[in-house]
């Protein structure tokens, strides 16, 4: 959704004339720039913002400023303002994230392979990459950080702090120390701190402020008394000085010492006395203006006019604002044009207290006027907040109904639900459209039970719903649409809880209920149906549903995520059907279309497309094409900040490394994948992890380890028949059953291997995965060869070759190693050899050349008798570029220990004893 940007939040408040320079503090701020974080933490009124504003004005390097407020606890709003602040320094930073934050919803459909990462953290990944690529030093200031309470944003700032590029320095101004692992950065010398004792005015600074800025001409004794009683507190000094000025204006002959003598009591009483004196000395009309506008978090003349039009004041609001600004009466200008202001926080609290005491009946009217003004101005957050402050729950409900959908589907469900928690449940339950938005909000947050509670309430309220205009969608909404939306949520929740039968039932019902032109919702339902049918291996139904999703999303033009996801899932359907060529075309179409979408929502489908494309190349043994597709997928996964997507890329790279014999790379990628695989979505990858781990153990000559690993997986016995329940349970685990057959063959147990394959036959036919069928025939051929039944071996091999040839499958043969190579040679030596057998033998020869190449010749005749793998050559080039082992690990997404193992292997192979020797030897051999 589009969030209006208040420019004053992005600028340091102007430094007032007469500001007292504080070079000792400025020097502390400058010295802290060598570290990661500067923390300015002290109670209200200690001059934190003023100090940072003056420092910012003196800097000769870029500084991005963001003044935070209560509304920034919404993750999307926080990111919007963070991008805007950074773009004040460099307009190129955050363009991709900015466009995605203003795009229509893309959260209704789950990802084909993964869950979701934190919204704020995912956005920060692209921002950090942009800052890093910009290459310029940058200071980022968060002012009033204590107002941020949302745990997601706090985690995101921690993420920013931990992963920031070296040229970025973070400054946080706050009333209390934030939860940002400060002890860690303090121990590492990466934290510079200023606290209340540091910010207190020294006697010299207090004298300058009182005598030079305010021209009070106080004696050293009077200054010392004020400084002692206010304890150097900047706001206290100002309060005392204002009170003294008012007192002297009334009694010019008064001795300041006599005033100060009566100035006693603890801090709380001193505060009460000073504020009472300041407020009480103002003209009646100024007091009325102050009290009636104190409900506002920020003030402008038009907004104030809307609140006080009936007070019959002699002057307009602009006059009062200018007068208060000129007299420094706790009014803080928020821009250089003096258009927006705010009261000092403590002063505002006092004013609101007096407003409640003096004009209690006017509070509701003032909040109503403020709410109406903000709604007309497009600031719905403030409009709702003022409605709730009255509290006028009917007004709040109307605002929420009109604008809630935009909040929920714009990624701001958290703020929306905060409002709903305040509005009485009975009022919410009477509004079917609000219940729909509530249900979607909870569903998108993974709280299906709460979502269904609001679905029930919405359906109960539906008979009273009448067609009316909804601002969020900018058109009238009909009862049928609300009913269809509620049913869609039932389908979504059923799918999330694994109840696929009801998910399909409710999805179909929703399509019947929805109007024909509800393209956006229809596209999402069809996409989810496609996912459900795909999980059930119903390829025709999946294809039809995904085609519908594609068509509907193109008609709506609102959701590129659905369009791209439908395309890539169609590619998966064709790949699962064994149609590699068509799958590759669909993946490439996704990539081509996604490259034209300047939207973060395109990143995940693009990642899946590159993963799918790499899989088609892998199956055809097109290593040189598969590798860059995988690296592109891993790069996109890193951009999203999604560990789930990264695990998919790591597993793909491990599979390719096994095919090419790079066992070190395969082991490293599998280890990284296990480390990043989180419990909530481990089921997506646990089978693939188990199979690749077993294949790695086999390739390392450790079949007993693979056998133990597979035994721990506790595969169910294969039943004699194929029921729908058995099919759903066992079909996803076919790769593990086929691995079990390979392990039997590795032990020389041909008979049990053939028995297992015979039991699997019905499931292989029912699940309709051609690549599994190819593997089954290959294993039957190898088992028959082991039993010396060569006619049977030839027949099974012929079936495998016939299935593999049309689409160019080669990987299933290559992974079986030398036994398959020998069988292919045997068959090729007989009359009428299949042409594809010879093509498979050529692939074996190319694989052997990659694995067993022992001599590399350069123009100088230098020789390397143990070659570097492709990963080792990549690391050598990174070392030559000056990267440390830690930076190498980060660049290649591997563990530091793995990077160091590679570096040791490089030294050994190059007969080098240092980095310089390794680089020199690599240059001599033409490796760099």
């Amino acid at each position: 959704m589009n969030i209006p940007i208040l420019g004053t939040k992005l600028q340091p408040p102007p430094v007032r004339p007469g500001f007292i320079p504080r070079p000792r503090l400025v020097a502390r701020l400058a010295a802290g720039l060598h570290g990661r974080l500067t923390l300015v933490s002290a109670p209200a009124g200690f001059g934190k913002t003023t100090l940072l504003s003056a420092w910012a004005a003196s800097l000769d390097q870029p500084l991005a400023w963001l003044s935070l407020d209560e509304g920034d606890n919404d993750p999307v709003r926080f990111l919007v303002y963070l991008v805007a602040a950074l773009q004040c320094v460099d307009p190129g930073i955050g363009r991709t994230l900015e466009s995605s934050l203003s795009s229509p919803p893309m959260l209704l459909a789950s990802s084909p392979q993964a869950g979701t990462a934190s919204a704020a953290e995912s956005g920060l990944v692209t921002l950090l990459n942009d800052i890093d690529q910009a290459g310029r030093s940058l200071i980022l200031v968060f002012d009033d950080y204590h107002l941020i309470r949302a745990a997601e944003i706090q985690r995101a700032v921690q993420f920013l702090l931990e992963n920031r590029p070296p040229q970025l320095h973070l400054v946080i101004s706050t009333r209390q120390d934030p939860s940002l692992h400060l002890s860690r950065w303090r121990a590492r010398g990466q934290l510079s701190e200023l606290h209340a004792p540091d910010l207190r005015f020294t006697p010299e600074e207090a004298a300058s402020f009182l005598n030079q800025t305010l021209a009070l001409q106080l004696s050293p004794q009077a200054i010392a008394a004020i400084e002692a009683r206010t304890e150097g507190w900047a706001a206290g000094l100002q309060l005392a000085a204002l009170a003294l000025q008012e007192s002297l204006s009334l009694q010019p002959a008064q001795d300041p010492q006599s005033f100060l003598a009566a100035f006693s009591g603890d801090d709380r009483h001193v505060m009460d006395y000073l504020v009472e004196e300041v407020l009480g000395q103002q003209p009646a009309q100024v007091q009325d203006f102050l009290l009636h506008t104190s409900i506002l978090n920020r003030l402008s003349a038009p907004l104030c006019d809307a609140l006080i039009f009936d007070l019959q004041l002699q002057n307009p609001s602009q006059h009062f604002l200018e007068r208060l600004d000129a007299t420094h009466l706790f009014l803080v200008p928020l821009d250089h044009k003096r258009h927006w202001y705010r009261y000092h926080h403590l002063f505002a609290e006092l004013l609101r207290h007096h407003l409640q005491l003096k004009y209690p009946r006017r509070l509701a009217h003032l909040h109503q006027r403020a709410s109406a003004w903000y709604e007309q101005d497009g600031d719905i957050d403030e409009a709702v907040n003022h409605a709730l402050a009255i509290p006028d729950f009917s007004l709040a409900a109307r605002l929420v109904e009109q604008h809630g959908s935009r909040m929920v589907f714009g990624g701001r469900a958290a703020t929306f639900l905060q409002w709903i928690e305040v509005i009485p449940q009975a009022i919410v339950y009477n509004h079917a459209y609000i219940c729909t938005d509530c249900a979607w909000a909870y569903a998108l947050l993974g709280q299906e039970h709460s979502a269904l509670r609001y679905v029930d309430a919405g359906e109960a309220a539906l008979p009273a719903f009448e067609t009316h205009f909804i601002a969020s969608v900018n058109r009238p909404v009909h009862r049928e649409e609300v009913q269809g939306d509620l049913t869609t949520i039932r389908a979504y929740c059923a799918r999330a809880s694994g109840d696929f039968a009801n998910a399909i039932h409710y999805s179909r019902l929703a399509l019947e209920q929805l109007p024909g032109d509800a393209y956006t919702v229809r596209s999402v339902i069809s996409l989810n149906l496609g996912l459900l049918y795909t999980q059930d291996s119903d390829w025709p139904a999946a294809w039809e549903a995904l085609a519908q999703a594609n068509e509907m999303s193109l008609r709506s033009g609102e959701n590129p995520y659905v369009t791209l996801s439908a395309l890539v899932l169609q590619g998966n359907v064709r790949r699962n059907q064994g149609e590699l060529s068509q799958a590759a075309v669909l993946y490439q179409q996704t990539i081509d279309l996604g490259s034209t979408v300047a939207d973060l929502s395109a990143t995940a489908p693009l990642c899946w497309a590159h993963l799918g494309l790499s899989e088609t190349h892998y199956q055809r043994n097109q290593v040189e094409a598969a590798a860059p597709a995988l690296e592109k997928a891993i790069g996109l996964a890193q951009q999203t900040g999604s560990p789930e997507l990264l695990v998919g890329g790591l597993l793909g790279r491990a599979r390719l490394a096994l095919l090419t014999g790079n066992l070190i790379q395969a082991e490293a990628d599998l280890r990284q994948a296990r480390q990043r695989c989180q419990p909530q979505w481990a089921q997506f990858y646990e089978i693939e992890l188990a199979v690749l781990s077993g294949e790695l153990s086999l390739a390392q000559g450790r079949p007993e380890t693979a056998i133990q690993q597979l035994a721990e997986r506790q595969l169910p016995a294969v039943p004699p028949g194929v029921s729908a329940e058995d099919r759903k349970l066992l079909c996803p685990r076919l790769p593990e059953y086929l691995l079990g057959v390979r392990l039997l063959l590795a032990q020389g147990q041909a008979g049990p291997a053939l028995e297992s394959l015979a039991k699997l036959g019905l499931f292989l036919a029912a699940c309709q995965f051609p690549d599994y069928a190819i593997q089954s025939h290959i294993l039957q051929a190898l088992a028959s060869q082991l039993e010396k039944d060569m006619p049977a071996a030839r027949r099974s091999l012929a079936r495998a070759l016939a299935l593999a040839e049309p689409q160019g499958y080669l990987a299933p043969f290559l992974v079986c190693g030398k036994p398959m190579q020998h069988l292919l040679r045997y068959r090729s030596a007989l009359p009428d050899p299949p042409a594809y057998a010879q093509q498979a033998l050529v692939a074996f020869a190319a694989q052997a050349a990659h694995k067993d190449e022992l001599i590399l010749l350069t123009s100088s005749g230098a020789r390397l008798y143990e070659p570097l793998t492709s990963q080792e050559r990549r690391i050598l080039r990174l070392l030559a570029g000056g990267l440390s082992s830690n930076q190498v690990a980060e660049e290649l997404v591997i563990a530091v220990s793995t990077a160091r193992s590679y570096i040791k292997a490089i030294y050994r192979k190059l007969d080098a004893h240092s980095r310089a020797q390794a680089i020199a030897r690599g240059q001599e051999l033409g490796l760099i």
Side-chain angles (χ1 to χ4, degrees):
M1 64 178 293
N2 291 318
I3 297 176
I5 299 295
L6 183 64
T8 55
K9 286 168 61 69
L10 311 179
Q11 304 170 15
V15 178
R16 289 184 178 276
F19 167 76
I20 301 300
R22 309 186 77 183
R24 62 186 178 88
L25 299 181
V26 171
R28 293 270 298 275
L29 292 171
L33 290 177
H34 74 276
R36 188 179 296 260
L37 169 66
T38 293
L39 177 67
V40 183
S41 178
F46 271 85
K48 302 181 293 294
T49 301
T50 301
L51 172 65
L52 292 175
S53 298
W55 177 56
S58 70
L59 287 172
D60 57 358
Q61 66 182 98
L63 181 142
W65 182 284
L66 177 54
S67 295
L68 298 167
D69 57 40
E70 296 282 353
D72 295 319
N73 280 284
D74 182 282
V76 173
R77 176 182 162 117
F78 175 83
L79 286 176
V80 167
Y81 269 105
L82 178 55
V83 169
L86 292 168
Q87 288 182 346
C88 290
V89 173
D90 186 340
I93 294 176
R95 284 182 177 174
T96 301
L97 176 58
E98 181 183 31
S99 63
S100 72
L101 291 171
S102 62
S103 297
M106 43 77 174
L107 297 173
L108 303 186
S110 300
S111 70
Q113 301 184 24
T116 55
S118 159
E121 287 182 24
S122 299
L124 285 177
V125 171
T126 62
L127 281 185
L128 291 173
N129 287 337
D130 288 350
I131 294 170
D132 191 29
Q133 291 170 8
R136 62 194 300 181
S137 295
L138 173 63
I139 300 169
L140 173 60
V141 177
F142 286 139
D143 193 26
D144 284 344
Y145 186 79
H146 56 274
L147 297 174
I148 297 300
R149 296 182 301 276
E152 181 177 352
I153 297 179
Q154 292 176 1
R155 288 194 301 268
V157 174
Q158 177 66 40
F159 179 87
L160 184 154
L161 190 58
E162 291 178 348
N163 297 278
R164 56 98 191 173
Q167 66 267 30
L168 175 65
H169 183 81
L170 189 63
V171 179
I172 291 179
S173 170
T174 177
R175 293 185 185 179
Q176 58 192 29
D177 286 0
S179 301
L180 294 176
H181 300 170
L182 297 179
S183 58
R184 178 196 304 172
W185 309 123
R186 191 177 291 121
R188 296 179 182 178
Q190 292 289 304
L191 174 62
S192 176
E193 300 176 81
L194 291 175
H195 291 283
D198 307 301
L199 295 171
R200 295 187 192 280
F201 271 56
T202 65
E204 293 77 15
E205 289 170 337
S208 295
F209 173 72
L210 295 168
N211 283 345
Q212 296 178 19
T213 302
L214 300 181
L216 289 176
Q217 300 302 316
L218 298 177
S219 67
Q221 294 79 7
I223 292 172
I226 293 177
E227 196 277 331
R229 293 200 175 132
T230 60
E231 298 184 32
W233 178 47
L237 283 171
Q238 187 173 8
L239 284 166
L242 285 170
L244 181 56
Q245 283 179 321
E246 294 290 344
S247 179
L248 291 174
S249 68
L250 296 174
Q251 303 179 46
Q254 181 186 20
D255 180 7
Q257 286 296 136
S258 63
F259 168 82
L260 294 171
F263 194 72
S264 61
D266 60 26
D267 287 346
R268 180 173 61 83
H269 293 124
V270 170
M271 268 280 294
D272 289 345
Y273 174 81
L274 290 172
V275 177
E276 289 288 352
E277 285 296 315
V278 171
L279 183 62
Q281 297 302 320
Q282 299 305 314
Q285 292 208 348
V286 173
Q287 288 191 40
D288 278 345
F289 179 86
L290 289 169
L291 293 178
H292 286 79
T293 58
S294 64
I295 67 164
L296 301 171
N297 292 322
R298 58 184 190 268
L299 304 87
S300 70
L303 174 55
C304 293
D305 284 338
L307 266 63
I308 64 170
F309 67 88
D310 58 345
L311 292 184
Q312 298 181 348
L313 300 181
Q314 294 178 355
N315 297 293
S317 296
Q318 186 65 39
H319 167 82
F320 288 103
L321 291 172
E322 291 175 355
R323 182 183 189 279
L324 294 171
D325 185 34
T327 56
H328 308 295
L329 193 64
F330 295 101
L331 191 69
V332 179
L334 296 176
D335 56 34
H336 292 281
K337 296 181 179 179
R338 296 303 201 262
H339 180 69
W340 284 97
Y341 300 84
R342 69 167 175 83
Y343 291 124
H344 184 283
H345 296 306
L346 294 179
F347 190 55
E349 290 170 8
L350 174 87
L351 292 174
R352 286 193 285 271
H353 175 70
H354 280 271
L355 174 65
Q356 176 68 49
L357 293 175
K358 191 171 182 180
Y359 302 115
R361 295 183 179 180
R362 295 186 186 177
L363 270 172
H365 297 296
L366 292 172
H367 282 297
Q368 285 174 346
R369 293 169 183 176
S371 179
W373 191 91
Y374 275 119
E375 182 183 13
Q376 187 173 6
D377 197 53
D379 190 338
I380 304 305
D381 290 53
E382 288 292 340
V384 174
N385 289 336
H386 280 287
L388 293 175
I390 298 172
D392 185 340
F393 296 122
S394 296
L395 172 59
R398 181 187 67 76
L399 291 167
V400 167
E401 182 183 53
Q402 284 295 312
H403 305 279
S405 294
R406 193 177 301 143
M407 302 285 291
V408 172
F409 299 132
R412 301 188 63 203
T415 296
F416 173 81
L417 290 176
Q418 288 173 7
W419 295 338
I420 294 300
E421 289 174 0
V422 179
I423 302 173
Q425 194 175 77
I427 294 178
V428 174
Y429 279 3
N430 283 333
H431 290 74
Y433 198 81
I434 297 180
C435 289
T436 304
D437 285 337
C438 291
W440 269 126
Y442 280 115
L444 295 175
L445 292 172
Q447 300 179 37
E448 288 82 15
H449 179 75
S450 296
L452 291 174
R453 176 163 54 88
Y454 279 101
V455 169
D456 292 338
E459 289 180 341
L462 201 58
F465 184 87
E466 296 182 357
T467 300
H468 61 283
F469 184 88
I470 298 293
S472 282
V473 294
N474 197 33
R475 58 176 173 78
V477 171
H478 305 281
R479 183 181 304 168
E480 294 77 13
E481 182 176 350
V482 180
Q483 175 66 78
D485 222 4
L486 291 167
T487 306
T488 301
I489 302 168
R490 288 197 184 277
Y492 185 97
C493 293
R495 180 173 175 270
S497 61
D499 184 357
F500 293 165
N502 268 324
I504 292 174
H505 165 71
Y506 286 124
S507 295
R508 289 171 171 168
L509 180 60
L511 289 174
E512 294 174 3
Q513 294 170 337
L514 285 165
D517 59 355
Y519 300 127
T520 299
V521 180
R522 283 180 167 273
S523 70
V524 173
I525 296 172
S526 296
L527 179 64
N528 283 314
L529 273 173
L531 286 165
L532 290 164
Y533 291 135
T534 298
Q535 290 167 341
D536 202 34
S537 303
D538 188 344
W539 309 130
W543 180 266
E544 182 179 352
L546 293 169
Q548 284 291 320
N550 196 308
E551 179 186 352
M552 293 293 104
S553 63
L554 288 174
R555 284 193 180 188
S556 73
E558 295 180 357
N559 202 334
Y561 176 89
V562 173
T563 306
L564 296 171
S565 296
L567 264 180
V568 77
L569 286 169
Q570 283 182 302
N572 289 351
V573 168
R574 289 299 184 234
R575 192 184 79 213
N576 291 332
Q577 290 178 304
E579 299 174 9
L580 298 182
S581 297
Q582 291 189 39
V585 169
L586 288 162
Y587 292 139
Q588 192 59 54
Q589 286 179 358
T590 306
I591 293 167
D592 293 342
L593 179 60
S595 64
T596 67
V597 177
D599 192 327
L600 191 62
S601 69
T603 309
L606 279 173
C607 180
W608 305 325
H610 283 285
L611 284 173
L613 192 60
S614 73
E615 175 67 15
T616 64
H617 292 314
Y618 164 84
Q619 293 291 352
R620 292 168 163 172
N621 193 39
Q622 296 168 343
V623 176
E624 298 304 320
L630 271 170
E631 296 306 321
K632 181 66 175 177
I634 289 173
L636 289 167
Q638 291 172 317
Q639 285 183 32
T640 66
S642 167
E644 306 95 304
L645 293 177
L646 185 56
V647 168
L650 291 169
L651 291 176
R653 193 163 69 183
R655 188 186 308 108
L656 186 63
L658 281 171
L659 186 67
T660 59
N662 190 348
L663 302 188
I664 294 177
Q665 178 73 57
E667 186 172 21
D669 284 335
L670 283 174
R671 181 167 56 251
Q672 283 281 300
R674 288 191 201 95
Q675 291 171 351
R676 294 171 182 270
C677 204
Q678 299 172 0
Q680 63 267 33
W681 42 264
Q683 69 271 19
F684 288 113
Y685 296 116
E686 60 179 355
I687 293 173
E688 191 172 3
L689 268 169
V691 171
L692 288 175
S693 297
E695 290 182 353
L696 175 63
S697 297
L698 269 179
Q700 292 171 331
R702 299 185 294 113
E704 67 285 349
T705 302
I707 293 168
Q708 177 61 33
Q709 290 170 338
L710 192 61
E712 292 172 357
R713 295 286 296 157
Q714 298 181 345
L715 283 171
V718 179
V722 184
S723 68
E725 191 62 32
D726 289 335
R727 182 170 171 268
K728 182 181 296 185
L729 176 66
L730 298 185
C731 280
R733 306 194 70 174
L734 279 174
E736 293 179 282
Y737 286 105
L738 294 173
L739 174 63
V741 175
R742 286 185 63 188
L743 293 175
L744 289 172
L745 293 176
Q747 300 170 83
Q749 300 182 40
L754 287 169
E755 290 177 9
S756 293
L757 288 169
K759 292 178 181 178
L760 288 171
L762 288 175
F763 283 96
L764 287 164
C767 294
Q768 303 179 48
F769 284 98
D771 55 337
Y772 295 166
I774 294 170
Q775 293 178 50
S776 174
H777 291 311
I778 288 173
L779 294 173
Q780 285 177 332
L782 293 175
S784 298
Q785 177 183 232
L786 194 60
E787 287 198 322
K788 309 301 183 185
D789 186 353
M790 299 313 294
R794 290 197 303 271
R795 288 194 298 272
S796 295
L797 179 62
R799 295 189 192 101
L801 291 169
L803 285 172
E805 182 176 10
Q807 294 294 322
Y809 281 95
L810 288 170
F813 299 93
L814 296 174
V815 297
C816 291
K818 291 191 180 297
M820 173 50 61
Q821 187 178 21
H822 293 157
L823 183 57
L824 287 167
R825 285 174 177 167
Y826 162 77
R827 181 61 188 89
S828 296
L830 296 176
D832 300 321
Y836 203 61
Q838 186 59 40
Q839 192 168 335
L841 284 171
V842 171
F844 268 108
Q847 185 189 55
H850 183 85
K851 291 180 179 179
D852 302 328
E853 182 183 19
L854 297 179
I855 298 177
L856 295 175
L857 293 176
T858 68
S859 57
S860 63
R863 292 186 175 187
L864 179 63
Y865 286 91
E866 188 176 357
L868 301 186
T869 65
S870 59
Q871 182 75 321
E872 289 167 347
R873 292 197 296 272
R874 188 180 297 116
I875 290 174
L876 181 60
R877 289 193 292 270
L878 293 175
L879 293 175
L883 270 65
S884 67
S885 57
N886 287 5
Q887 291 170 325
V888 167
E890 185 176 351
E891 177 72 19
L892 299 179
V893 198
I894 59 178
V896 175
S897 59
T898 302
R900 290 172 179 164
S901 297
Y902 274 118
I903 293 170
K904 288 179 182 178
I906 293 169
Y907 285 9
R908 176 178 55 78
K909 292 180 179 182
L910 296 177
D911 191 24
H913 302 286
S914 68
R915 176 190 293 251
Q917 288 182 0
I919 293 170
R921 180 68 169 152
Q923 290 170 339
E924 180 185 5
L925 291 165
L927 299 173
I928 301 175

